[in-house]
Amino acid sequence: MDWKSSLQADDCNDLRRAHVKGKAKKARKIAQQRFAQMKKMISQSDPRIKEEKRALPKKKKREDPHEIKVREVPQASTALFFQYNTQLGPPYHILIDTNFVNFSIKYKLDIIQNMMDCLYAKCIAYITDCVVGELEKLGQKYRVALKIIKDPRFERLTCLHKGTYADDCLVQRVMQHKCYIVATCDRDLKRRIRKIPGVPIMYISQHRYTIERMPDAYGAPKT
């Protein structure tokens, strides 16, 4: 019976030690967290910091009530009559994005023909250098897309910026010249273009081209 009781006593001692160890570890962790929070809260100009290391307190400038406030407002295009863009009109000038070409090939749609079916007018498709660069970067898998956009029916626009990121380039062009329609299936790009007034967006819906923000598009299906 003695050896059994000694074994039980050893087990109890081990459990007690583990419990104490766990408590100590938990207390240390809480102390570390508190210290970290304190470190965050102390500012550079705190008086507890040594004078040579202390930063000077920032003084807020008093606002002069008589000072004329200058507001910077982006200049609106003269082509816009409220939300209606008067620069849009046949022949329509359409800037094409990389994924629009890829989705057109996927759904076996002729780009120029389907644009004309959508808008019931002559359409001039424009391809920028960065869109060509993006397709070239995609490799051999997209060689059909590259062959299509090198068709003489597509007008080529030269880019002056560095790199091959097309989204920024298309947004910049649309902001400078209000005569363009942007053809894209990219959600992020569509979201960015919707913030610019008077710029219609062409995209693929139900295996055909459709257009938004354009009241004169008689051929576009109602979405």
Side-chain angles (χ1 to χ4, degrees):
M1 290 297 286
D2 291 340
W3 62 271
K4 275 185 180 178
S5 58
S6 66
L7 270 171
Q8 282 174 351
D10 287 343
D11 287 344
C12 284
N13 287 333
D14 288 343
L15 282 165
R16 204 176 288 115
R17 269 192 226 103
H19 183 66
V20 168
K21 208 174 183 183
K23 262 190 172 179
K25 202 175 181 182
K26 200 174 182 182
R28 205 181 303 121
K29 200 175 181 183
I30 290 162
Q32 280 174 350
Q33 282 174 348
R34 273 199 201 131
F35 178 65
Q37 283 171 355
M38 278 298 290
K39 263 182 89 175
K40 273 185 205 170
M41 284 158 68
I42 291 171
S43 68
Q44 292 293 316
S45 58
D46 199 281
R48 286 171 286 179
I49 299 167
K50 286 179 183 177
E51 260 188 78
E52 60 269 14
K53 290 181 181 177
R54 199 186 304 157
L56 291 166
K58 288 178 183 175
K59 287 180 181 178
K60 285 184 180 178
K61 274 189 177 180
R62 284 187 181 180
E63 281 187 15
D64 185 10
H66 304 293
E67 193 183 354
I68 298 163
K69 289 178 182 176
V70 179
R71 284 176 65 211
E72 285 186 17
V73 180
Q75 191 180 353
S77 173
T78 53
L80 291 174
F81 180 75
F82 296 111
Q83 285 289 313
Y84 186 76
N85 190 352
T86 54
Q87 273 193 9
L88 292 170
Y92 293 104
H93 305 278
I94 302 165
L95 284 171
I96 297 173
D97 190 26
T98 315
N99 53 44
F100 190 82
V101 179
N102 294 334
F103 276 106
S104 297
I105 293 162
K106 186 184 174 182
Y107 296 124
K108 296 175 183 174
L109 300 168
D110 183 275
I111 295 171
I112 304 288
Q113 187 58 49
N114 280 276
M115 278 178 179
M116 289 197 285
D117 290 345
C118 178
L119 293 168
Y120 284 170
K122 187 188 175 183
C123 298
I124 302 163
Y126 291 91
I127 297 283
T128 58
D129 286 346
C130 43
V131 169
V132 176
E134 275 187 1
L135 284 167
E136 282 171 353
K137 270 188 178 179
L138 291 168
Q140 282 293 307
K141 196 180 174 183
Y142 295 89
R143 63 183 183 275
V144 178
L146 261 173
K147 201 173 180 181
I148 286 167
I149 62 168
K150 282 174 182 175
D151 189 287
R153 291 182 299 171
F154 291 87
E155 296 279 334
R156 187 78 173 265
L157 295 173
T158 51
C159 294
L160 301 170
H161 61 88
K162 289 178 181 178
T164 57
Y165 186 59
D167 289 14
D168 288 343
C169 177
L170 295 176
V171 169
Q172 201 64 37
R173 282 179 189 277
V174 156
M175 283 174 82
Q176 285 172 352
H177 311 287
K178 296 285 182 186
C179 61
Y180 290 118
I181 295 167
V182 179
T184 183
C185 298
D186 186 1
R187 280 184 186 176
D188 294 327
L189 183 56
K190 280 202 263 185
R191 201 177 294 122
R192 284 175 72 181
I193 288 163
R194 282 187 193 116
K195 290 174 186 175
I196 307 162
V199 181
I201 302 162
M202 187 178 277
Y203 60 98
I204 298 166
S205 174
Q206 297 169 0
H207 294 265
R208 61 187 288 190
Y209 292 174
T210 188
I211 198 157
E212 66 174 64
R213 301 171 74 195
M214 191 163 173
D216 294 343
Y218 303 113
K222 297 281 182 284
T223 51

